[in-house]
């Protein structure tokens, strides 16, 4: 029986046409078998014509890809409508290629559906370029947002600005992207800045000037707000009739109002700081790591008799003799090495005069935390030091002068004591004079001790001793006063001897002064406790009373020289206010500490002395 000719019998003519293109061309029947493929299609599949014709996609491609392609084929055959799709097909080498494929139903002369025709074009590179373009666009958008920029695209042919939503909101023109005349933007420029803005635009529109503008101007908005805008504009030129004219402008703007306000405040603060430093009475200066002065104020320059220009070239070695310069540099290096401030007294010869400064030195650090300079603030205390020296000399002289008449008075009282029969009034007067003489002797002795300590002339006679010896010697001197005041004295010491190394007389003086202080500030019939303990190599002596107590604002100053609590002075028996100062100095000379404790006025007080135990 003779068969009808195949509808694909004229495929030879089709093939000749198809072979002339690089596009992939193929035809499939209703069962999905390939009936025609051109050379480009065979190259993509990596197959021969014989191994492809008459086979389905499942036979020539990976299953997952084949089923995806066949699903599209079925849709074309079922609907009878052409379809445009992007298909990803792996090459024989394993690379993925993207194809823009158009599939069209094939019909015979009678209009019957016999298959489909496919034409595919490789769009891999264009897709990659598009993806890169999208990525760059996203990066640009992210950069613009991160920088807080708002954009405008200016068309100089039409004088129209296409502005972003951000710029529209910033200029109070609206909430979305829009196109506005250039005049609308100009109208938002502050009147005081318009002339400057116009001159800058005229300059940038000249092709000879590079076409780039960066300017800060104020915007005056309808709401009455004034904002500072930093504007950058790049002009694109084109040649028209032999000359370059502006075609387009790309503009980026940023609201810098907060930065401007912060800068203004910073400038004001800097001017204030500079004025304070320049006008300060103390010498203010800073030196770099090589000892060159990088900052100085008027007082410093006047002290060294230098102008601003001369100060800029000054160094430690130029201003001071070699020995002084070496000493200053050593201290500077110490400050830089430790990173901590120091306060010291410096004796410096300046213009033939010896000057004493109290100097505070501290390091200056850069943003990375590295010290790059030493700053110093020096106050001339020469007059204070001299006054202090004269005061010490006066106290020493006064103590010696007061002591001279005490001996004959003591002798006179001793003679009176040996008189067997004195009238009662005379005997009472003699006893009163003896008590006041002892009090005066203690005051003079305290003044002498102050003089010795302040002039660094107090010598300690160190020897092995015990805590019990110290307390016993102290109470021998203080107990008469305790009994005279009618106080109860309670003493508690460790059962075992606590070894110390010190001057017995001076340590006993410490405890005696504390007990005498408790006697003075405790009403008659009070209670005084002296307790000794030892713990972790430290011997502790506590002297506690239930007397007048110490006000909170007075507590930090009880050990100051000539200090007395004003609120408790009326409860005391007077004094010079040097007993506790002596206590502190004597304890420190023994490498110990002393502190005062009190819950407040009327709550009594406790003085705690801590001394190192002898090995």
């Amino acid at each position: 029986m003779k068969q009808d000719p195949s509808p694909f019998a004229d495929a030879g003519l089709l093939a000749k046409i198809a072979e002339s293109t690089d596009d992939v061309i193929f035809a499939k029947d209703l069962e999905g078998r390939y009936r025609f493929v051109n050379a480009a299609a065979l190259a993509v599949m990596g197959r021969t014509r014989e191994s492809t014709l008459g086979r389905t996609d499942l036979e020539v491609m990976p299953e997952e890809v084949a089923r995806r392609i066949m699903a599209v084929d079925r849709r074309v055959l079922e609907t009878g409508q052409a379809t445009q799709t992007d298909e990803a097909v792996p090459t024989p080498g394993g690379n993925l290629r993207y194809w823009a494929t158009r599939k069209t139903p094939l019909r015979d002369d009678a209009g019957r559906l016999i298959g489909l025709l496919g034409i595919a074009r490789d769009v891999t590179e264009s897709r990659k370029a598009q993806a890169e373009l999208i990525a760059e666009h996203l990066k640009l958008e992210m950069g613009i947002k991160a920088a807080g920029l708002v954009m405008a695209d200016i068309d100089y042919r039409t004088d129209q600005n296409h502005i972003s939503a951000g710029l529209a909101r910033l200029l109070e023109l609206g909430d979305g992207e829009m196109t506005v005349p250039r005049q609308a933007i100009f109208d938002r420029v502050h009147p005081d800045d318009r002339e400057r803005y116009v001159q800058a635009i005229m300059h940038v529109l000249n092709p000879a000037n590079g076409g780039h503008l960066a300017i800060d101007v104020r915007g005056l908005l309808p709401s009455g707000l004034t904002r500072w805008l930093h504007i950058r504009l790049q002009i694109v030129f084109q040649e028209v009739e032999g000359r370059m004219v502006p075609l387009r402008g790309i503009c980026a703007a940023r609201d810098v109002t907060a930065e401007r306000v912060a800068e203004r405040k910073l400038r004001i603060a800097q001017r204030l700081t500079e004025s304070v430093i320049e006008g300060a009475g103390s010498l203010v200066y800073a030196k770099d790591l090589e000892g060159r002065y990088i900052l100085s104020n008027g007082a410093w320059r006047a002290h060294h008799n230098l102008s601003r220009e001369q100060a800029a070239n000054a160094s430690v070695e130029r201003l001071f003799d070699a020995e002084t310069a070496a000493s200053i540099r050593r201290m500077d290096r110490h400050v830089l090495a430790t990173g901590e401030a120091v306060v010291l007294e410096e004796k410096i010869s300046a213009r033939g005069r010896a000057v004493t400064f109290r100097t505070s030195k501290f390091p200056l650090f850069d943003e990375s935390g590295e010290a790059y300079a030493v700053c110093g603030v020096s106050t001339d205390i020469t007059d204070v030091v001299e006054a202090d020296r004269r005061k010490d000399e006066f106290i020493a002289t006064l103590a010696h002068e007061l002591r001279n008449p005490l001996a004959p008075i003591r002798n006179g009282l001793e003679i009176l004591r040996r008189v067997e029969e004195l009238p009662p009034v005379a005997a009472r007067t003699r006893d009163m004079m003896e008590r006041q003489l002892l009090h005066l002797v203690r005051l003079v002795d305290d003044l002498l001790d102050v003089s010795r300590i302040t002039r660094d002339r107090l010598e300690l006679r160190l020897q092995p001793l015990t805590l019990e010896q110290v307390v016993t010697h102290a109470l021998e001197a203080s107990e008469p006063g305790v009994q005279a005041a009618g106080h109860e004295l309670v003493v508690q010491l460790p059962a075992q001897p606590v070894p110390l190394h010190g001057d017995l007389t001076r340590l006993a003086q410490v405890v005696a002064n504390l007990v005498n202080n408790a006697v003075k500030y405790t009403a008659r019939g009070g209670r005084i406790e002296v307790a000794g303990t030892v713990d972790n190599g430290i011997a502790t002596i506590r002297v506690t009373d239930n007397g007048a107590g110490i006000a909170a604002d007075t507590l930090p100053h009880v050990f100051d020289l000539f200090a007395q609590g004003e609120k408790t002075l009326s409860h005391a028996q007077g004094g010079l206010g040097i007993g506790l100062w002596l206590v502190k100095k004597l304890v420190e000379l023994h490498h110990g500490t002393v502190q005062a404790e009190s819950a407040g006025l009327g709550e009594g007080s406790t003085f705690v002395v801590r001394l190192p135990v002898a090995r």
Side-chain angles (χ1 to χ4, degrees), residues 26-311:
F26 57 88
K28 301 178 187 177
D29 60 19
L30 295 176
E31 283 73 34
R33 292 187 296 266
Y34 283 94
R35 292 300 186 177
F36 174 80
V37 286
N38 70 346
L42 293 173
V44 171
M45 295 180 184
R47 301 178 67 85
T48 65
R49 199 179 305 277
E50 291 74 17
S51 64
T52 303
L53 293 177
R55 289 179 169 81
T56 66
D57 287 312
L58 284 172
E59 298 173 281
V60 299
M61 292 184 184
E63 181 180 357
E64 182 182 350
V65 177
R67 293 193 181 281
R68 189 169 65 245
I69 293 174
M70 291 168 67
V72 177
D73 293 350
R74 282 195 301 272
R75 189 163 65 249
V76 173
L77 296 174
E78 290 172 357
T79 63
Q81 300 293 324
T83 301
Q84 182 81 30
T85 61
D86 282 354
E87 295 177 334
V89 180
T91 66
N95 296 324
L96 200 62
R97 307 295 292 182
Y98 292 90
W99 301 87
T101 305
R102 179 175 177 81
K103 293 180 179 180
T104 306
L106 277 179
R107 300 180 185 274
D108 61 11
D109 294 340
R112 290 175 299 180
L113 186 65
I114 60 173
L116 61 82
L117 173 68
I119 302 175
R121 177 165 293 175
D122 190 345
V123 294
T124 305
E125 297 306 321
S126 63
R127 280 182 62 116
K128 185 184 297 183
Q130 184 181 15
E132 291 176 354
L133 184 62
I134 292 173
E136 289 300 321
H137 182 71
L138 287 174
K139 289 180 184 177
L140 179 60
E141 281 193 352
M142 291 175 66
I144 290 173
K145 290 179 179 178
L149 298 176
V150 289
M151 307 297 293
D153 191 343
I154 308 167
D155 188 341
Y156 287 102
R157 296 168 302 180
T158 62
D159 267 353
Q160 294 291 309
N161 278 10
H162 179 72
I163 63 176
S164 67
L167 182 56
R169 287 191 293 271
L170 182 61
L171 297 180
E172 297 183 1
L173 290 168
D175 292 325
E177 293 185 6
M178 61 180 65
T179 299
V180 297
R182 287 175 59 196
Q183 185 65 34
I185 304 298
F186 180 77
D187 289 343
R188 291 294 196 264
V189 177
H190 195 286
D192 294 343
D193 289 351
R194 286 178 182 173
E195 181 62 27
R196 180 168 59 91
Y197 179 69
V198 169
Q199 293 300 323
I201 295 296
M202 295 294 292
H203 178 82
V204 77
L205 290 178
N206 185 342
N209 295 325
H212 181 73
L213 169 67
I215 189 173
D216 285 1
V217 296
R218 286 169 294 177
L220 182 58
L221 307 181
S223 64
L225 289 176
T226 299
R227 294 186 182 276
W228 276 98
L229 301 178
H230 177 69
I231 299 173
R232 285 187 176 271
L233 175 63
Q234 181 64 55
I235 306 297
V236 178
F237 295 93
Q238 72 171 2
E239 186 174 348
V240 177
E241 298 179 353
R243 66 187 186 92
M244 301 299 293
V245 297
L247 172 67
R248 184 183 179 196
I250 306 300
C251 178
R254 184 164 62 91
D255 185 350
V256 293
T257 307
E259 296 173 19
R260 280 280 186 153
V261 171
E263 288 175 1
R264 180 173 177 273
K265 289 181 178 178
L266 180 60
R267 286 195 298 270
I268 293 173
Q270 287 176 335
R271 286 197 295 269
L272 176 62
T273 302
E274 290 169 359
S275 299
V276 171
I277 291 175
E278 183 64 21
S282 297
L283 280 57
V284 182
Y285 51 89
K287 293 169 282 185
D288 63 17
L289 302 182
E290 283 70 42
R292 295 186 296 261
Y293 286 89
I294 59 176
L295 170 71
S296 63
N297 70 340
W300 185 90
R301 293 191 296 273
H303 176 78
H304 291 286
N305 196 25
L306 297 175
S307 65
R308 286 183 181 272
E309 293 72 20
Q310 292 170 327

Side-chain angles (χ1 to χ4, degrees), residues 279-422:
S282 297
L283 280 57
V284 182
Y285 51 89
K287 293 169 282 185
D288 63 17
L289 302 182
E290 283 70 42
R292 295 186 296 261
Y293 286 89
I294 59 176
L295 170 71
S296 63
N297 70 340
W300 185 90
R301 293 191 296 273
H303 176 78
H304 291 286
N305 196 25
L306 297 175
S307 65
R308 286 183 181 272
E309 293 72 20
Q310 292 170 327
N313 297 316
S315 67
V316 173
E317 285 72 18
R318 287 187 180 182
L319 295 181
F320 303 100
D321 60 77
E323 182 179 353
T324 303
S327 175
I328 292 174
R329 294 280 278 155
R330 279 195 300 273
M331 181 54 65
D332 291 348
R333 285 192 292 271
H334 171 76
V335 171
L336 291 169
T338 61
E340 297 178 354
V342 297
V343 178
L344 67 155
E345 284 191 10
E346 294 179 311
K347 297 184 184 299
I348 296 175
S349 177
R351 302 200 300 275
R353 186 174 76 95
V355 182
T356 302
F357 288 100
R358 177 174 286 112
T359 298
S360 172
K361 289 187 175 182
F362 49 90
L364 300 177
F365 299 96
D366 59 21
E367 293 179 354
S368 63
E370 294 291 328
Y372 71 93
V374 174
C375 188
V377 180
S378 299
T379 303
D380 187 345
I381 59 170
T382 307
D383 293 343
V384 176
V385 171
E386 178 62 19
D388 211 35
R389 184 188 65 79
R390 291 179 179 177
K391 177 201 70 178
D392 293 341
E393 289 183 351
F394 171 76
I395 291 175
T397 302
L398 175 65
H400 282 288
E401 292 298 324
L402 289 175
R403 199 168 189 177
N404 289 335
L406 293 181
I409 294 175
R410 186 191 298 270
N411 291 336
L413 288 172
E414 183 62 26
I415 292 173
L416 289 176
R417 179 170 292 281
R418 293 181 181 182
V419 175
E420 294 182 356
E421 295 182 2
L422 279 177

Side-chain angles (χ1 to χ4, degrees), residues 447-564:
L447 282 173
L448 285 172
D449 285 341
V450 169
S451 174
R452 294 187 186 105
I453 291 174
T454 55
R455 299 165 73 186
D456 198 23
R457 294 183 179 179
L458 181 69
E459 295 183 5
L460 296 180
R461 295 181 175 85
L462 303 178
Q463 61 179 331
L465 46 92
T466 65
L467 180 62
E468 184 180 8
Q469 287 178 288
V470 171
V471 174
T472 299
H473 278 69
L475 296 184
E476 285 178 357
S478 300
E479 200 162 8
V482 173
Q483 293 177 352
H487 296 319
E488 177 188 3
L489 179 62
V490 179
V491 181
Q492 295 178 339
L493 297 176
Q496 299 297 324
V498 179
L500 301 174
H501 188 72
D503 186 319
L504 179 58
T505 300
R506 294 304 181 183
L507 289 179
Q509 183 181 355
V510 166
V511 178
N513 278 6
L514 292 177
V515 173
N516 291 339
N517 190 72
V519 170
K520 286 195 300 180
Y521 288 95
T522 302
R524 185 173 185 82
R527 177 184 174 89
I528 299 173
E529 298 180 5
V530 179
T533 58
V534 61
D535 185 38
N536 292 328
I538 299 296
T540 302
I541 305 172
R542 294 178 180 271
V543 178
T544 303
D545 63 66
N546 60 352
I550 305 171
D553 57 345
T554 304
L555 198 59
H557 307 289
V558 294
F559 295 106
D560 293 349
L561 186 60
F562 305 127
Q564 286 185 316

